[in-house]
Amino acid sequence: IQNNLIENSWQAGVKRLLFLGSSCIYPKFAQQPINEESLLTGQLEETNQWYGIAKISGIKLCEALRKEYNFDAISLMPTNLYGPGDNYHPENSHVMASFIRKFYEASIKSFPSVICWGTGSPLREFLHVDDLGDAVVFALENWDPNSKNAPKDENNNKLTTLNVGTGKDISIKELAFKISNLLNYKGKIIWDKNKPDGTPRKLLNVSKMKDLGWVAKISLDEGIKKAIESFKEEHNL
């Protein structure tokens, strides 16, 4: 789907295209915080390598079309997203949505305990989806990779891919406590250490977007409260 969309945008003469990648494109043990130059410098995290490879192919297709045909395609790599319209499925949702659903149901049903995956030790960065939307518009309006003052890599080459995040992370265990407190859950949190932790840490270096003039505006506490409210509204709770 992405490759057809990118190719047809080029063939149709689209003025600018912004492709959204993911922090999953970076190696599992990339140096922290992760710079844009870390792409393809190591092995991907095993459990999401297929998704990561698909995203990398989109980034590289955009780069190739820019290089060969001067197609104005840029890419943003957002960190973990959350907010309205998230997937709250009990089995295949991501950590933020999963915790909101788990602790909401446990609170209203007075469950004695909630089981969470892994050890709780991995560190993750979270970006509210409204901040990403703001970053997309900002990048389209303000970022020209060919500009003299545009962000460059460590070898002073122009970049067509930039990270988007908050520049702050939190442990999964701390996140669980934060969400359980906001939902007034008083039971016990049990960590199932037989389940995988995934990448130990995945914090993006967002200095280049900051240099362009963009920073995230929604704090994690504010964003989680908004996410909880949207979850209740979307599920008529």
Side-chain angles (χ1 to χ4, degrees):
I1 293 172
Q2 73 179 22
N3 293 349
N4 285 335
L5 203 143
I6 294 167
E7 184 178 10
N8 280 282
S9 295
W10 160 59
Q11 291 179 341
V14 167
K15 185 177 179 181
R16 295 207 85 190
L17 175 76
L18 189 147
F19 175 71
L20 285 175
S22 165
S23 58
C24 295
I25 66 167
Y26 293 118
K28 180 174 183 176
F29 299 109
Q31 184 176 347
Q32 306 289 320
I34 305 172
N35 296 322
E36 287 84 353
E37 296 92 330
S38 295
L39 179 61
L40 296 177
T41 60
Q43 185 174 343
L44 299 172
E45 208 286 317
E46 295 85 354
T47 61
N48 60 19
Q49 59 183 314
W50 305 276
Y51 175 75
I53 289 169
K55 287 294 187 183
I56 291 169
S57 73
I59 295 165
K60 290 302 179 182
L61 178 56
C62 288
E63 286 183 3
L65 290 172
R66 172 180 283 274
K67 186 173 183 178
E68 188 168 357
Y69 300 105
N70 203 31
F71 179 48
D72 190 4
I74 53 177
S75 301
L76 293 181
M77 301 302 110
T79 188
N80 301 284
L81 300 171
Y82 70 101
D86 208 341
N87 171 23
Y88 294 96
H89 191 277
E91 294 176 3
N92 60 24
S93 55
H94 291 165
V95 63
M96 181 74 78
S98 172
F99 280 178
I100 289 174
R101 176 167 185 149
K102 278 177 182 284
F103 289 112
Y104 175 81
E105 291 182 347
S107 179
I108 62 171
K109 296 178 182 179
S110 299
F111 290 164
S113 63
V114 169
I115 298 175
C116 298
W117 279 26
T119 64
S121 63
L123 295 161
R124 291 291 181 270
E125 177 184 11
F126 295 94
L127 180 71
H128 194 278
V129 68
D130 288 350
D131 268 337
L132 175 62
D134 184 61
V136 165
V137 173
F138 179 89
L140 286 168
E141 293 180 346
N142 296 280
W143 174 31
D144 176 5
N146 293 325
S147 171
K148 180 180 178 181
N149 297 320
K152 305 235 179 352
D153 67 16
E154 56 194 13
N155 296 315
N156 205 37
N157 297 314
K158 66 183 179 183
L159 285 167
T160 57
T161 299
L162 293 180
N163 292 334
V164 182
T166 62
K168 302 174 183 176
D169 56 10
I170 183 175
S171 74
I172 297 301
K173 185 170 288 188
E174 188 179 349
L175 180 68
F177 288 139
K178 190 181 287 287
I179 294 174
S180 64
N181 288 335
L182 286 170
L183 288 167
N184 200 33
Y185 176 66
K186 305 299 184 183
K188 186 177 181 181
I189 300 176
I190 298 173
W191 295 94
D192 183 357
K193 296 178 182 178
N194 291 317
K195 294 292 193 294
D197 271 337
T199 303
R201 192 182 190 196
K202 199 163 58 169
L203 177 67
L204 295 182
N205 183 339
V206 294
S207 61
K208 292 182 175 66
M209 275 293 284
K210 187 176 181 180
D211 289 343
L212 278 174
W214 185 88
V215 293
K217 300 176 180 66
I218 302 172
S219 70
L220 184 60
D221 286 348
E222 178 190 357
I224 292 175
K225 289 175 184 176
K226 286 185 174 184
I228 289 172
E229 290 307 309
S230 65
F231 166 75
K232 291 178 180 179
E233 290 173 6
E234 290 166 21
H235 292 82
N236 300 313
L237 300 173

